[in-house]
Amino acid sequence: MKKYFPVYVRVPVIFFIVFALMEYFIDSGDRPAFIKYPMVSVFLFVFLFILIAIEITLSAVNRVMYQLMTPEEKAKAAYENSLPFKESDWYKNLMQKLTRTQPIEREGDLLMDHDYDGIKELDNNLPPWWVYLFYICIVFGVVYVARYEVFGGDDQETELKKEMAQAKIDVEDYLKTAPDLMDEKTVVLLTDAPSLGAGKEIFTTNCAACHRADAGGQIGPNLTDDHWILGGGIKNLFHTITNGGRDGKGMISWKGTLKPKEIQKVASYILSLQGSNPKDPKEPQGEIWVDKNASKKDTAENKKVDSTQVK
């Protein structure tokens, strides 16, 4: 790979691949992932800086090795293209600025007076890339302390609590409208023709055997009058169909057969049959059920009408 893709190509490609994967796998909503999760971005930047440092170091080592080779070895290495010897001038200048390496011929000028059992030390300056990275770390440290310690920015624990609270709100909003997660607290009465038509088909297939096709009652009670054993209205009826009737002698539970949306449709269809007066209906069972909420709504509407007339 190094033969065909030099360092100034490999490092940017790795950089963009890492951040592209971050954006793809991390769900950050309406903000870029590297902004919403700054600590992850910092880790990736440090990782990429390390890659750049390694590539620069290897490039410098390769150039030193090249300088130590004989002319025959240089020709052979260039022929095999095993080292990046055919680097462009601008890249060589860039590497020289980032590393400031001295040619091997000047090694004698860089030797220090220290001598440890024959091991001598070169007086090389720190590579500029390392110095720049050190300064960047200092700037980042200052910004980090100011952001989180001085100006009270949210730490990871606070961010987690806020996101969990928002997630709870989002789940509640979803449950209000999710058809397959509906229950008797969130179900509403359907009155549109397609829903009632679908409810009629479900009733004919599953309920007519006990309640008759016209819902006048046979084994089960009459569903067209105002008497209800377990309460009327969409919420009570949805609960009864879902969980079944009275223990041991009532209707079975249909929650294993019908989906909540289907139960809503068949319950709405049954309520649409109120007052249809089928032929030879079964005697009323249970008690007369009155929708208290509907009464409150009617009272409020009547008061509104009266106040309008007074005006």
Side-chain angles (χ1 to χ4, degrees):
M1 178 178 172
K2 291 183 179 180
K3 293 181 181 181
Y4 308 104
F5 301 101
V7 61
Y8 52 82
V9 174
R10 292 198 303 272
V11 171
V13 168
I14 294 174
F15 183 89
F16 287 111
I17 287 177
V18 170
F19 277 90
L21 291 175
M22 181 178 175
E23 290 293 333
Y24 181 79
F25 286 106
I26 297 179
D27 184 10
S28 57
D30 56 347
R31 289 189 297 169
F34 68 91
I35 294 178
K36 188 172 183 180
Y37 302 100
M39 298 307 298
V40 177
S41 301
V42 170
F43 171 79
L44 293 177
F45 272 114
V46 172
F47 173 72
L48 291 171
F49 271 121
I50 293 175
L51 285 180
I52 294 172
I54 293 174
E55 293 287 358
I56 292 174
T57 303
L58 291 177
S59 180
V61 170
N62 286 338
R63 286 198 299 275
V64 172
M65 292 174 59
Y66 180 65
Q67 292 173 355
L68 294 175
M69 288 180 177
T70 63
E72 293 79 9
E73 292 174 334
K74 291 180 181 180
K76 181 180 179 181
Y79 175 77
E80 295 176 351
N81 198 25
S82 59
L83 293 173
F85 300 127
K86 297 181 181 180
E87 296 168 346
S88 59
D89 293 337
W90 70 267
Y91 179 70
K92 291 181 180 179
N93 294 333
L94 176 63
M95 290 298 102
Q96 179 60 32
K97 290 179 180 179
L98 291 176
T99 59
R100 289 185 183 174
T101 54
Q102 300 296 331
I104 195 68
E105 292 82 7
R106 293 195 54 195
E107 185 180 69
D109 300 336
L110 300 174
L111 283 175
M112 301 180 66
D113 296 334
H114 303 161
D115 190 334
Y116 303 96
D117 296 331
I119 301 175
K120 296 183 179 182
E121 184 178 359
L122 294 177
D123 187 17
N124 283 317
N125 294 324
L126 287 173
W129 67 265
W130 191 95
V131 178
Y132 299 153
L133 182 59
F134 180 71
Y135 290 152
I136 291 174
C137 291
I138 294 176
V139 173
F140 172 79
V142 173
V143 174
Y144 184 89
V145 171
R147 174 73 175 84
Y148 294 101
E149 301 298 332
V150 178
F151 298 104
D154 293 342
D155 56 17
Q156 290 180 324
E157 183 177 358
T158 305
E159 289 180 354
L160 176 62
K161 290 180 179 179
K162 288 184 176 181
E163 292 185 3
M164 291 297 292
Q166 183 61 43
K168 184 177 180 180
I169 295 174
D170 294 341
V171 169
E172 291 176 352
D173 291 340
Y174 173 75
L175 292 177
K176 291 178 182 178
T177 57
D180 289 335
L181 296 176
M182 189 186 310
D183 59 17
E184 60 267 21
K185 295 180 181 179
T186 59
V187 66
V188 293
L189 180 66
L190 301 175
T191 57
D192 60 288
S195 297
L196 295 180
K200 181 178 181 179
E201 291 182 6
I202 298 172
F203 182 87
T204 303
T205 303
N206 301 283
C207 310
C210 294
H211 296 279
R212 284 185 7 194
D214 57 6
Q218 190 167 317
I219 300 174
N222 179 9
L223 300 177
T224 65
D225 57 25
D226 55 359
H227 288 70
W228 296 90
I229 299 174
L230 297 175
I234 186 63
K235 296 185 183 297
N236 288 324
L237 193 53
F238 183 95
H239 176 81
T240 302
I241 297 174
T242 301
N243 300 290
R246 296 165 293 176
D247 293 339
K249 56 181 178 179
M251 182 179 63
I252 63 170
S253 170
W254 288 93
K255 62 184 177 181
T257 305
L258 301 176
K259 296 181 179 179
K261 189 65 176 178
E262 295 174 324
I263 296 177
Q264 180 192 28
K265 291 178 180 179
V266 70
S268 298
Y269 170 72
I270 292 172
L271 293 176
S272 72
L273 298 176
Q274 293 290 287
S276 59
N277 298 319
K279 183 180 179 181
D280 299 328
K282 190 175 181 179
E283 291 295 326
Q285 293 177 272
E287 300 177 352
I288 296 177
W289 185 84
V290 178
D291 189 350
K292 296 180 181 179
N293 294 328
S295 299
K296 292 179 180 178
K297 291 180 181 178
D298 293 339
T299 303
E301 290 178 357
N302 292 333
K303 289 182 178 179
K304 190 179 295 184
V305 171
D306 294 338
S307 63
T308 305
Q309 292 175 349
V310 171
K311 290 181 180 179

